[in-house]
Amino acid sequence: MEEFYLVNGKILDVRTGKFIKADLKITGKQIASVQEKAPTEAKKVDCSGKYLIPGIMDAHVHLVWEGTAKDPMYETVRDGNYLNFAKGVSSAEKSLKNGVTTVRDLGCNDDCSIPLARAVNIGLIKGSHIVPAGSAIQGSYGHCPMIGYIANTKEQLIDKIKRLKGYNIEMSIPPLHWIKIMASGGAAGLEDVGPCMYSPDELKAITYEAHRLNMKVAAHALSRDAISKCIDAGIDTIEHGGALDEELLHKMKENGQVWVPTLQVYKELARGKGMIADVIVEKASAVEENQKKAFSAAMKIGTKIVAGSDAGSPNFGPHPSIFKELVAMQENGMSAAQVIRCATLAAAEELGVKDRGVLEEGKIADIVVLDANPLVDLHAFTEHLSAVYKEGLLV
């Protein structure tokens, strides 16, 4: 088992938002110590003048979408399962090389994020850790059906949840397992945002069955009707939350539910006139305007927020996109330390991967090394990346 030290660097304690000066001892895949001084004869990597951060997490990605297409929905249908899987491989590899060590994939064709996660776990692919949700469950009039699974009745919903659980087990994906539902229409599509796609009874059946099987539920929800019903049904994470208001944010806080805002994607869609359909620009503009108010309110109320980017979305740029999202969160009033916590410790706790997200003894050695202080400028992640370690190995 290889053992080495990262010495003379400044280590970010994401719990306090402050850097400490210490040597980081890595043994195999784990952090063995944060305080032990490296012996003279030990193998060392000098990190003088560098800043050590826990591996960054993106709680909302679509690996089978590359982020460079004007219409990834059409390309998903055109390219088929094999090419889409190859795109997922490429996206996972790019993400890791750029310091994103864990992603939660919230929608793909034919549940392919699950075998993709296995391919990473057994070392066939050198990509980010993947927390897969398979294809997004939705009704027949839903959002992005090419990365979804159509379930229109309670029986179909329960059957799909059980099949996803079984597929995760078959692929040896460690729990906690996730599913994703499309609870409303979307901005990046021609459909109406509209009412909630499922009835309160159906939503409660979804959460009951998922939680019974030790799974969590993420819900794409833009309209107030969909958001409100998802909150009442006990959905774990609200994705986008385009019509969130103070009343709903208070409910989420009381219930311990989490908001994944994906601010930047709507900002960019809203500025896509001439490149994407006018109806998408119009819907995204409305979401962007409300999200600014909701984000400020969420910080005051204390609603839990986790960073997610919706990487892979139309005209959003290649993976990863999370660093643009972190800047957007800061522009909307969150401190750099809080932003980084949302993309590390807070993400790890919510996604169920509590073996990472903080540089502490016993945690997985997923580490980003920077040449500049991200608490001063979050662009350090993209402009001053020095090294990335995943499970103690230099990427």
Side-chain angles (χ1 to χ4, degrees):
M1 188 178 295
E2 186 179 7
E3 183 174 285
F4 67 98
Y5 290 78
L6 300 176
V7 300
N8 302 320
K10 296 178 180 178
I11 300 170
L12 182 62
D13 180 349
V14 294
R15 298 186 191 278
T16 64
K18 297 179 180 179
F19 282 100
I20 61 171
K21 191 74 178 293
D23 293 346
L24 202 64
K25 180 181 179 182
I26 312 296
T27 303
K29 297 181 179 182
Q30 292 187 320
I31 297 170
S33 172
V34 184
Q35 296 297 338
E36 181 180 331
K37 191 68 178 173
T40 305
E41 69 280 4
K43 180 180 178 181
K44 307 181 190 70
V45 177
D46 187 14
C47 294
S48 297
K50 299 185 186 297
Y51 300 83
L52 280 60
I53 319 294
I56 296 300
M57 303 184 194
D58 189 337
H60 192 132
V61 306
H62 300 284
L63 293 172
V64 299
W65 288 352
E66 296 178 289
T68 56
K70 292 181 180 180
D71 189 354
M73 289 76 86
Y74 165 74
E75 288 196 356
T76 304
V77 176
R78 181 197 67 191
D79 292 342
N81 285 356
Y82 297 121
L83 185 51
N84 287 323
F85 189 90
K87 289 179 181 179
V89 171
S90 176
S91 299
E93 291 176 341
K94 288 175 183 175
S95 296
L96 178 60
K97 288 176 182 176
N98 285 281
V100 182
T101 54
T102 299
V103 299
R104 181 179 58 161
D105 189 288
L106 288 183
C108 59
N109 56 294
D110 201 28
D111 298 328
C112 74
S113 62
I114 298 175
L116 185 59
R118 173 165 171 76
V120 170
N121 292 346
I122 64 177
L124 292 177
I125 299 168
K126 293 183 179 179
S128 306
H129 302 283
I130 300 170
V131 178
S135 300
I137 302 171
Q138 58 190 281
S140 56
Y141 53 94
H143 178 57
C144 299
M146 71 295 301
I147 57 167
Y149 177 89
I150 306 302
N152 287 317
T153 68
K154 190 187 296 186
E155 291 74 19
Q156 290 171 342
L157 288 165
I158 292 173
D159 179 70
K160 181 57 179 175
I161 293 168
K162 288 179 176 178
R163 288 178 184 275
L164 282 170
K165 182 67 176 182
Y167 199 16
N168 273 284
I169 293 170
E170 181 184 342
M171 291 289 105
S172 300
I173 307 301
L176 189 102
H177 299 140
W178 283 84
I179 66 167
K180 195 248 185 112
I181 66 167
M182 297 294 196
S184 73
L190 301 180
E191 75 278 0
D192 291 334
V193 172
C196 189
M197 193 171 293
Y198 292 116
S199 70
D201 186 50
E202 288 166 335
L203 289 172
K204 288 175 182 176
I206 290 168
T207 53
Y208 175 83
E209 189 65 19
H211 292 169
R212 186 181 72 82
L213 296 175
N214 190 29
M215 305 176 82
K216 278 189 170 184
V217 186
H220 165 105
L222 283 188
S223 70
R224 194 184 194 282
D225 183 59
I227 297 167
S228 177
K229 285 182 170 64
C230 285
I231 291 171
D232 290 343
I235 299 290
D236 298 286
T237 65
I238 301 297
E239 310 298 312
H240 316 305
L244 273 168
D245 56 30
E246 290 193 15
E247 178 188 353
L248 297 177
L249 288 165
H250 275 292
K251 276 189 178 182
M252 288 181 68
K253 182 186 178 182
E254 292 168 8
N255 297 343
Q257 292 160 308
V258 170
W259 181 27
V260 183
T262 67
L263 301 172
Q264 185 65 21
V265 69
Y266 290 101
K267 180 179 179 180
E268 298 200 18
L269 286 172
R271 284 150 185 76
K273 191 171 182 63
M275 294 181 288
I276 55 179
D278 288 346
V279 66
I280 295 176
V281 174
E282 183 180 337
K283 289 189 290 183
S285 298
V287 172
E288 180 194 14
E289 191 60 33
N290 191 72
Q291 279 188 331
K292 292 177 183 178
K293 302 172 187 175
F295 195 81
S296 176
M299 287 190 293
K300 292 176 183 176
I301 292 167
T303 309
K304 292 180 183 178
I305 296 174
V306 165
S309 71
D310 213 356
S313 291
N315 281 334
F316 203 22
H319 293 255
S321 296
I322 189 64
F323 301 115
K324 293 191 285 187
E325 179 67 17
L326 301 189
V327 172
M329 292 169 72
Q330 186 180 40
E331 289 174 346
N332 279 274
M334 190 174 274
S335 72
Q338 290 173 314
V339 167
I340 294 171
R341 190 177 186 279
C342 288
T344 53
L345 179 59
E349 290 176 342
E350 181 57 27
L351 299 189
V353 287
K354 297 181 182 180
D355 56 356
R356 67 200 75 158
V358 61
L359 300 182
E360 294 177 350
E361 182 178 338
K363 301 295 185 181
I364 288 178
D366 288 353
I367 306 163
V368 176
V369 183
L370 304 175
D371 288 324
N373 186 346
L375 297 184
V376 174
D377 186 354
L378 286 170
H379 292 96
F381 286 107
T382 53
E383 297 175 4
H384 299 284
L385 179 64
S386 177
V388 179
Y389 291 86
K390 180 191 174 189
E391 295 184 337
L393 295 176
L394 181 65
V395 174

